[in-house]
Every structure is written in C-alpha cells, then in structure tokens.
Amino acid sequence: MAATGLNIKRIKDYFNSKFSETEESYISEIFGNSDNDKELKHFLSIQFDEIISDDDAEEKNLDHILYKIHYDINTKSEGNRIRRKPNLINWVARIAAILILPVAIFWGVKGYLNMNQGKETWIEIKAPAWTRAQFSLPDGSTGWLNSNSSVRYNGNFIYDRQVALIGEAFFSVVHDKERPFRVNTKELTVKVLGTSFNIASYENENNVEIVLEKGAIELSDKEMINFRKMNPNELVVFNKEKKVMSVTGVEPTKYLAWTEGKLVFRNDPVDVIARRIARWYNVDVVVESALNEELRLRATFVDEGLEEVMDMLKRSLLIDYKIENSNLQPDDIYAKKRVIISLGNKRK
C-alpha cells in the first residue's frame, strides 16, 4: 500500500469499535507497513493533541509507538489465521491501549503523577520465540531484540535512561553526556554515553556476552567486584558462577549478524554452535561429551530451517544428530524440541 491517502475516518471508526472484517484487514495493512509511518505519526499527534491541553503540548517522538504497533501486528500473522471473533476484540483493545497509554507515560497529563505517587509505570517490549523485534526508545535510541528477549523501561525514561534486559539485544544509543544510558541485567550494569553494542544475557545460560561495535562502555557486576572499560572490537564474557570477566578481540560482524536475519559462525567450536542454534531456533541442544572439542565451523545461514542447518553440520563436521519433537508434559506445558548432537559414523 502506498504511504499516501490514509482513510482517517476508517481508522477512527475502527478504534471506536465500528468495524467489519474489511476494516480489520485495512487497519492491519496500514499499520503493518512502515512506509506509512509519517502519516500515521501525524494522525496520532492530532489525536494526542485532542487529549493533552495546550499547556502540556511539546514535540513528540512517536517512533516507539509505531514500532510497537508494527510488532503487535506482524508477529501475530500466524495467530490471525486461526483467530476467532473474541480474539479480534482483545486485539483491538490492545491496540487502543498502545495509542492511549503512552500519553500518560511519556508526556504527562497534568495531575497524573500526583494521582500515582509511589507507583511506577513500566513499558515492556518483547520478541517471542522465532521472532526479532526492532524498537525505538523515547530518547531516539534504537535497537533490536532477539528471540525470547525483552527490554523494560520506566515511564520517566527521558530523564533517567535505564532499561532492564532479559535475553539478547543490540543497542544504538543516542549520545547524551548529562544522562548516561544504562542497561541492567540480573548480573551486570552496562553504562554508555553514545555507542552501539550487543549484549546477550539469557537466564538459562552460564555466561553474559557483550560485544562493542563502536564508542566506549563501562561494565560492572552487581557486587561491584568486577569493573571494566570496553573498547571497540572487544568481546567481554562474564561467567555468572565464577563472577569473573574475560576479554577477547573479535570481529563484531558475526555477533551482530542476527539483526539482519543471519546465523553466522566463524571458526566456532561445537559448544558455541550448540548454544547459538538453541537461541536461534528456540530448541534445547544436548552435546555428547565424546565429541572432539577441536571441531570448528565457518558458515553463514540465511533463512534455513533447523534440519537444513543440522544436515550441513553433519556433512561439515562429520557429526550425527537426532531431533526429538516437542511433547506435552504432565503440567500441560509443551517442552521444546530437543536436538542431540553425537559422534558421526566416520568418527566411531
């Protein structure tokens, strides 16, 4: 759809619950197309100006709202095919909340903070399994979330630039000397002024990995035992159990390739390969101890499925593998697929 001639009446009718299946399709199409951002932000600004008094009016950055709308629509394409009518109503309610909630959060309706003293408002952006989510923060900083990851920030972010991260994210941070940007994980705090870097902090993994592309950042653990300044092209690994940091010179490209939908290996050992495949495909990977630790892989995968990647590993490393499908557990929760990597026939 071209980014011109939006039917404002149809949009308003839709969010006022005056819609049909045709209107639903129209809304999904225009909000799912980032080419419409300019006109949509103008439309949202008009709606917000009707809510906020002139005394409260100021220049507004609506990028983070549109990213959230795009994400909400685009990551539900599979669910939309089997959605029933009640789910449609719930979806409309969520979109309405996206449009209204940021008014109170970011730009402050008079009296809102007085009414909610002692309470904190948090915004959370998630990337479910099998997805990546691009996001924009109120200060103009941008980034990507990898599969099974989330980032949370407080409603006063514009004054206190802090986010809480679970999983993996790439950040491109706007420089602001007076207000440093901080990323908090369960184990570490990353402090930056303006830079771009990648951080992987999954709860089920033993290490936190930080790769600096450009600029400079400072790392410290929660106990303030470890402190380190990072330079570009460095990888710092923090061992959660031993509470120690190690640093290595790297080429950042392979660590950032996931933001472009690429799974890149550059002379990586089997344990690293297994860990990254587990993240990428949301599976559990088990590596048999008998495997040669010196096995290394150099490859780039784009849009390949799990079995295609495993077949390539089997041919390149002379290993074998077995994929066990997900199954229903006694607690009525489906377990992840399980990949077991073992010695290939030629190595037995």
Side-chain angles (χ1 to χ4, degrees), residues 157-217:
F157 177 87
I158 201 70
Y159 305 105
D160 184 13
R161 301 198 302 166
Q162 295 197 52
V163 301
L165 171 69
I166 296 176
E168 184 170 15
F170 170 79
F171 292 93
S172 182
V173 178
V174 171
H175 180 81
D176 188 337
K177 186 177 181 179
E178 302 301 321
R179 292 176 296 176
F181 186 101
R182 290 179 173 83
V183 178
N184 297 301
T185 72
K186 187 176 181 180
E187 295 81 17
L188 297 176
T189 295
V190 181
K191 177 183 175 183
V192 306
L193 295 177
T195 185
S196 57
F197 63 100
N198 195 82
I199 177 169
S201 179
Y202 286 92
E203 293 183 335
N204 62 343
E205 295 187 5
N206 295 327
N207 295 326
V208 180
E209 298 179 353
I210 305 98
V211 176
L212 180 59
E213 181 184 36
K214 61 182 179 180
I217 62 179

Side-chain angles (χ1 to χ4, degrees), residues 17 95 124 185-187 200 212 244 250 267 306 317 329 331:
S17 298
I95 294 295
E124 184 172 31
T185 72
K186 187 176 181 180
E187 295 81 17
L212 180 59
V244 294
V250 296
N267 198 37
L306 175 61
L317 303 180
Q329 303 295 303
D331 56 2

Side-chain angles (χ1 to χ4, degrees), residues 48-295:
F48 290 158
D49 287 340
E50 293 177 358
I51 299 173
I52 303 175
S53 67
D54 290 337
D55 292 338
D56 290 321
E58 59 179 284
E59 185 176 354
K60 308 171 184 65
N61 182 349
L62 303 177
D63 288 343
H64 57 291
I65 303 175
L66 287 174
Y67 277 131
K68 192 170 179 64
I69 294 173
H70 295 159
Y71 160 77
D72 196 57
I73 293 173
N74 292 331
T75 60
K76 290 178 174 58
S77 58
E78 181 176 354
N80 287 343
R81 290 195 292 268
I82 59 174
R83 183 176 53 202
R84 295 187 296 274
K85 200 70 172 181
N87 290 331
L88 172 61
I89 297 173
N90 291 336
W91 182 85
V92 174
R94 287 198 297 274
I95 294 295
I98 290 169
L99 294 173
I100 297 172
L101 186 58
V103 178
I105 294 173
F106 296 113
W107 304 305
V109 176
K110 281 188 175 179
Y112 176 81
L113 293 178
N114 291 334
M115 293 169 57
N116 292 276
Q117 286 182 350
K119 297 181 180 179
E120 290 186 331
T121 303
W122 288 87
I123 301 91
E124 184 172 31
I125 306 170
K126 289 186 175 182
W130 299 89
T131 69
R132 294 176 296 122
Q134 189 176 16
F135 62 87
S136 178
L137 299 172
D139 68 336
S141 297
T142 59
W144 284 88
L145 280 174
N146 208 345
S147 173
N148 279 328
S149 302
S150 67
V151 64
R152 299 172 66 241
Y153 56 94
N154 203 300
N156 68 347
F157 177 87
I158 201 70
Y159 305 105
D160 184 13
R161 301 198 302 166
Q162 295 197 52
V163 301
L165 171 69
I166 296 176
E168 184 170 15
F170 170 79
F171 292 93
S172 182
V173 178
V174 171
H175 180 81
D176 188 337
K177 186 177 181 179
E178 302 301 321
R179 292 176 296 176
F181 186 101
R182 290 179 173 83
V183 178
N184 297 301
T185 72
K186 187 176 181 180
E187 295 81 17
L188 297 176
T189 295
V190 181
K191 177 183 175 183
V192 306
L193 295 177
T195 185
S196 57
F197 63 100
N198 195 82
I199 177 169
S201 179
Y202 286 92
E203 293 183 335
N204 62 343
E205 295 187 5
N206 295 327
N207 295 326
V208 180
E209 298 179 353
I210 305 98
V211 176
L212 180 59
E213 181 184 36
K214 61 182 179 180
I217 62 179
E218 297 177 351
L219 308 178
S220 60
D221 58 18
K222 297 303 182 181
E223 291 80 15
M224 298 301 291
I225 298 173
N226 294 278
F227 176 85
R228 185 173 195 92
K229 291 185 178 180
M230 285 186 67
N231 297 313
N233 303 326
E234 285 187 344
L235 163 68
V236 167
V237 177
F238 177 75
N239 185 290
K240 298 178 183 178
E241 183 178 350
K242 298 179 180 178
K243 308 292 185 183
V244 294
M245 291 182 183
S246 61
V247 60
T248 310
V250 296
E251 169 52 54
T253 304
K254 79 169 185 178
Y255 296 92
L256 310 181
W258 66 266
T259 64
E260 300 175 352
K262 299 177 182 178
L263 181 59
V264 177
F265 299 102
R266 292 293 180 264
N267 198 37
D268 291 311
V270 174
D271 63 325
V272 173
I273 295 169
R275 184 167 67 249
R276 296 183 63 201
I277 287 176
R279 293 179 192 169
W280 195 262
Y281 295 103
N282 191 37
V283 296
D284 290 327
V285 180
V286 178
V287 179
E288 289 190 347
S289 58
L291 276 178
N292 187 345
E293 295 181 358
E294 295 182 359
L295 293 175

Side-chain angles (χ1 to χ4, degrees), residues 301-320:
F301 300 99
V302 182
D303 297 330
E304 281 87 352
L306 175 61
E307 290 198 20
E308 292 176 289
V309 171
M310 296 308 303
D311 282 341
M312 196 280 184
L313 294 183
K314 181 177 181 178
R315 294 193 301 270
S316 301
L317 303 180
L318 298 179
I319 62 170
D320 204 353

